[in-house]
């Protein structure tokens, strides 16, 4: 679920717009590459990861433009590296620290999420999933049934009992043959994986994780079959965008559009409709054809809408 959300958001490119006209304009350098040390896809993936799991993401400004002091390059900082102090009321952050070293408050950009993060609100669900997976793996690795040793002879001293149990346990772990005396008997307490309900537990927790991550459950369920056509794939993308990834897109693009990062009158947007939510080409051509027929656009504008180079013009 994490890879589905982070990978999808990070694969959508950023664009720079003029607010008054909605025109795409020449962007600052960081629009195409947020960090000098890694591609923007990687940086955006970890920004979304932080928002998803912790509810906040941190960027460190590593370079600024000389003319106005706005950021020219960033570095994503893992949440586990960041600490902070607050005022007496615990409301306002007074100082940020990275690896316990104070940093200039102007060099930390915080991108706020819409909740406290999955680790906080879904921690018990995640722990339960880990426990079930561990139990199922242990059962698969050790096919010998669980049970107990019964002594029908004289009682043994505690140290001998512990040694006997340890030797039996080692033999079971190594799948080797164990020896019992005439006074000792092994009574298995055998439960099959079906009796242990591992499959049902895994399926149920998969649904719970999907709820926590706000992802359709069938995206995470390997045993559910769905019949997808091009048309309903487009509808699924629209639903996935609206319900699962739009909050992260809005959190990032609105923060990067604020005046301390972008110049006044400009804004940052993800190119969602040109990439992820692009219409069926046949539907798009029908719309363009009607616009041409009504005289609302020119042939060159129509060619530009289909990413074709207008006649006599340079490639866009």
């Amino acid at each position: 679920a994490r890879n589905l959300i982070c990978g999808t958001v990070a694969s959508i490119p950023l664009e720079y717009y003029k607010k008054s006209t909605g025109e795409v304009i020449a962007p600052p350098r960081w629009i195409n590459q947020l960090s000098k040390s890694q591609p923007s896809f990687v940086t955006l993936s970890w920004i979304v990861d932080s928002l998803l799991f912790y509810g906040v993401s941190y960027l460190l400004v590593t370079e600024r433009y000389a003319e106005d002091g706005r950021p020219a390059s960033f570095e994503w900082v893992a949440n586990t590296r960041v600490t902070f102090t607050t005022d007496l009321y615990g409301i306002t952050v007074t100082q940020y620290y990275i690896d316990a070293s104070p940093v200039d408050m102007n060099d930390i950009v915080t991108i706020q999420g819409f909740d406290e993060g999955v680790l906080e609100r879904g921690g018990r669900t995640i722990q339960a999933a880990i426990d079930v997976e561990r139990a199922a793996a242990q059962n698969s690795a050790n096919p010998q049934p669980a049970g107990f040793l019964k002594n029908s002879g004289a009682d043994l001293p505690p140290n001998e009992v512990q040694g006997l149990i340890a030797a039996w346990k080692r033999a079971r772990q190594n799948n080797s043959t164990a020896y019992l005396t005439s006074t000792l008997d092994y009574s298995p307490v055998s439960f099959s994986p079906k009796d242990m309900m591992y499959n049902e537990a895994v399926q149920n927790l998969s649904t719970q994780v999907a709820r926590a991550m706000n992802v359709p459950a069938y995206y995470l369920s390997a045993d559910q079959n769905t019949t997808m056509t091009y048309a309903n794939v487009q509808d699924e993308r629209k639903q996935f965008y609206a319900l699962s990834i739009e909050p992260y897109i809005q959190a990032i693009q609105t923060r990067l559009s604020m005046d301390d990062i972008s110049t006044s009158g400009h804004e940052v947007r993800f190119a969602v409709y040109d990439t992820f939510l692009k219409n069926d080409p046949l539907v798009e051509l029908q719309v363009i054809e009607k616009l041409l027929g009504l005289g609302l656009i020119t042939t060159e504008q129509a060619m530009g809408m289909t990413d074709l180079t207008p006649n006599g013009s340079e490639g866009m």
Side-chain angles (χ1 to χ4, degrees):
R2 178 267 179 201
N3 291 347
L4 187 64
I5 293 173
C6 295
T8 301
V9 174
S11 66
I12 304 174
L14 293 172
E15 291 183 336
Y16 206 53
Y17 287 81
K18 189 174 183 180
K19 288 183 181 179
S20 58
T21 63
E23 175 189 5
V24 178
I25 61 174
R29 184 178 61 202
W30 55 264
I31 287 288
N32 297 319
Q33 188 171 348
L34 285 163
S35 172
K36 282 188 172 183
S37 61
Q38 59 189 189
S40 278
F41 174 83
V42 177
T43 308
L44 285 170
S45 294
W46 287 106
I47 290 174
V48 180
D49 180 278
S50 293
L51 293 173
L52 181 62
F53 288 110
Y54 298 93
V56 61
S57 183
Y58 299 102
L59 294 176
L60 178 66
V61 178
T62 57
E63 189 177 347
R64 293 183 179 274
Y65 289 109
E67 57 268 24
D68 59 8
R70 285 187 171 84
S73 184
F74 304 90
E75 177 188 339
W76 172 80
V77 183
N79 295 70
T80 53
R81 297 176 56 198
V82 179
T83 55
F84 55 84
T85 55
T86 64
D87 59 14
L88 293 176
Y89 304 99
I91 298 175
T92 303
V93 175
T94 57
Q95 180 64 60
Y96 281 106
Y97 303 84
I98 296 179
D99 300 328
S101 299
V103 295
D104 190 323
M105 292 291 286
N106 293 321
D107 287 341
I108 285 285
V109 176
T110 60
I111 303 177
Q112 304 292 330
F114 59 93
D115 69 359
E116 67 274 28
V118 173
L119 294 181
E120 181 68 26
R121 59 180 168 81
R124 286 186 296 179
T125 298
I126 296 172
Q127 186 59 57
I130 292 171
D131 292 340
V132 168
E133 184 179 34
R134 183 183 294 118
Q138 184 175 0
N139 183 272
S140 298
N142 188 8
Q144 297 293 330
F148 59 90
L149 291 172
K150 182 180 179 181
N151 181 15
S152 57
D155 289 338
L156 299 174
N159 59 333
E160 290 188 25
V161 171
Q162 294 301 320
L164 180 63
I165 293 174
W168 181 262
K169 183 177 180 180
R170 285 195 301 272
R172 291 182 69 242
Q173 288 175 340
N174 297 328
N175 290 325
S176 59
T177 302
Y179 171 77
L180 294 175
T181 66
S182 60
T183 59
L184 292 175
D185 184 37
Y186 176 69
S187 300
V189 182
S190 179
F191 294 100
S192 69
K194 182 177 181 180
D195 293 332
M196 297 294 289
M197 299 182 70
Y198 287 138
N199 293 339
E200 291 81 357
V202 168
Q203 191 63 38
N204 177 63
L205 284 165
S206 176
T207 302
Q208 297 301 326
V209 167
R211 290 173 179 168
M213 302 289 279
N214 209 30
V215 168
Y218 60 84
Y219 281 11
L220 309 184
S221 300
D223 62 345
Q224 293 190 17
N225 296 320
T226 56
T227 302
M228 303 297 287
T229 64
Y230 186 86
N232 59 26
V233 164
Q234 293 297 100
D235 292 337
E236 286 293 330
R237 282 192 166 209
K238 292 177 182 178
Q239 179 177 331
F240 179 61
Y241 171 76
L243 300 180
S244 301
I245 67 173
E246 186 175 16
Y248 303 105
I249 284 178
Q250 291 293 339
I252 295 170
Q253 68 183 16
T254 53
R255 179 63 185 93
L256 296 181
S257 297
M258 293 177 68
D259 288 346
D260 62 327
I261 298 178
S262 297
T263 53
S264 180
H266 301 111
E267 63 181 355
V268 178
R269 298 183 205 165
F270 282 88
V272 175
Y273 295 98
D274 294 333
T275 54
F276 186 68
L277 295 181
K278 192 169 185 178
N279 288 325
D280 183 338
L282 291 177
V283 174
E284 189 175 304
L285 287 174
Q286 290 173 355
V287 172
I288 293 174
E289 184 180 8
K290 290 183 178 180
L291 292 174
L292 280 169
L294 295 171
L296 298 177
I297 60 174
T298 65
T299 302
E300 287 195 353
Q301 288 173 324
M303 295 180 72
M305 291 170 66
T306 56
D307 292 331
L308 296 174
T309 304
N311 296 326
S313 302
E314 295 182 357
M316 297 181 65

